[in-house]
Amino acid sequence: MRTWFSVREACDACGLRFERDEQDDYWLGAYTLNFIVTEVVFALLLGVTLLATRPDPPWTAIIWMGVAQMSLTPIAFYPFAKALWLAIDLIFRPVTTDDFA
C-alpha cells in the first residue's frame, strides 16, 4: 500500500503487479470481502448487545452505534481487504510471467 487508500502499481521487491488482468473490475472481490466483514461484525455486535441488554435493549443507542460501526469498519478494513483479495486471487490463479511489471 502506498497510503491507506492507495495501492502501489507493483511490488518493489519482485515486481508483481497488484492489479491482475481485470483493470477496472479487479477490486470488486476486495469490495465484497469488505462488505461481508462489515456485515458480520455488525451482526455479532448486535447479537451481543441484544443478549446483554435484554429484555429492554436501548434501541436509540444501538442504532447510533450501528451507524458508526457500519461507517468506520469499511474504512478500517480497506487495506486488509485489498491484500486478502490479492492473496485469494493468487491461490486460485497462480502467478504467470504476465503478472510482473
Side-chain angles (χ1 to χ4, degrees):
M1 301 296 288
R2 184 175 310 136
T3 66
W4 197 261
F5 298 107
S6 174
V7 177
R8 293 181 190 277
E9 190 171 318
C11 175
D12 291 337
C14 68
L16 176 69
R17 287 184 307 118
F18 292 129
E19 292 196 19
R20 304 176 70 206
D21 296 336
E22 307 89 9
Q23 295 298 323
D24 295 327
D25 297 332
Y26 181 73
W27 295 113
L28 187 59
Y31 167 79
T32 304
L33 284 174
N34 205 344
F35 182 74
I36 291 168
V37 167
T38 300
E39 295 297 323
V40 168
V41 168
F42 174 75
L44 291 173
L45 290 175
L46 179 62
V48 168
T49 302
L50 290 177
L51 285 174
T53 60
R54 68 180 185 174
D56 189 27
W59 289 110
T60 302
I62 290 173
I63 290 171
W64 284 109
M65 292 304 290
V67 167
Q69 183 270 321
M70 295 292 262
S71 299
L72 297 175
T73 301
I75 294 169
F77 192 67
Y78 183 78
F80 305 105
K82 290 232 176 188
L84 184 58
W85 179 246
L86 179 61
I88 291 169
D89 188 44
L90 288 170
I91 289 170
F92 289 102
R93 292 189 315 149
V95 175
T96 65
T97 55
D98 295 337
D99 292 323
F100 292 94

